[in-house]
Amino acid sequence: MVNVWATWCGYCIKELPDLEEINNRLAEKDCGIVGLMVDVDLDEETLQLGKDILKETGVTYLNILPWEGWETYIPENWPTSYFVDRDGYILTTPLKGARINVYEKRIDNLLKNK
């Protein structure tokens, strides 16, 4: 699961500790979560803020920064989560908004149907 978030998004930050817990359980299923921090201005101050937020919320799973062309995935709602396979293919429609109660169910269904 790729979770798109930003430092200015309260809903994004609020769900980070829950995502950490989910990620720990997913490790037993040989899958996990990757965070994608996509603030518009990725200056040093914003990058430090992102690191501070991750530390304060206890997040240890991988978080990455945007790549050239990431704009294709700019969410309409924040956060947005994409479900991808090992080859990077998007498997389902993205979940828009903080949907803690749905993430694991979606992943379990995808694992059953692979």
Side-chain angles (χ1 to χ4, degrees), residues 42-98:
L42 287 174
D43 56 19
E44 287 301 316
E45 185 177 328
T46 304
L47 290 173
Q48 187 58 54
L49 176 59
K51 290 177 185 179
D52 292 344
I53 289 169
L54 293 173
K55 184 176 181 180
E56 290 169 9
T57 57
V59 170
T60 61
Y61 58 83
L62 177 66
N63 270 264
I64 61 175
L65 298 172
W67 59 92
E68 190 170 322
W70 75 272
E71 295 86 357
T72 303
Y73 304 100
I74 294 176
E76 295 172 8
N77 299 72
W78 294 84
T80 291
S81 294
Y82 293 88
F83 298 85
V84 299
D85 66 13
R86 292 183 187 276
D87 297 318
Y89 292 102
I90 297 173
L91 302 173
T92 68
T93 57
L95 283 178
K96 300 173 183 179

Side-chain angles (χ1 to χ4, degrees), residues 7 11 30 38 42 46 55 60 75 95 99-100 102 111 114:
T7 61
Y11 292 112
D30 196 28
V38 295
L42 287 174
T46 304
K55 184 176 181 180
T60 61
L95 283 178
R99 307 283 298 274
I100 289 297
V102 178
L111 289 172
K114 71 175 185 174

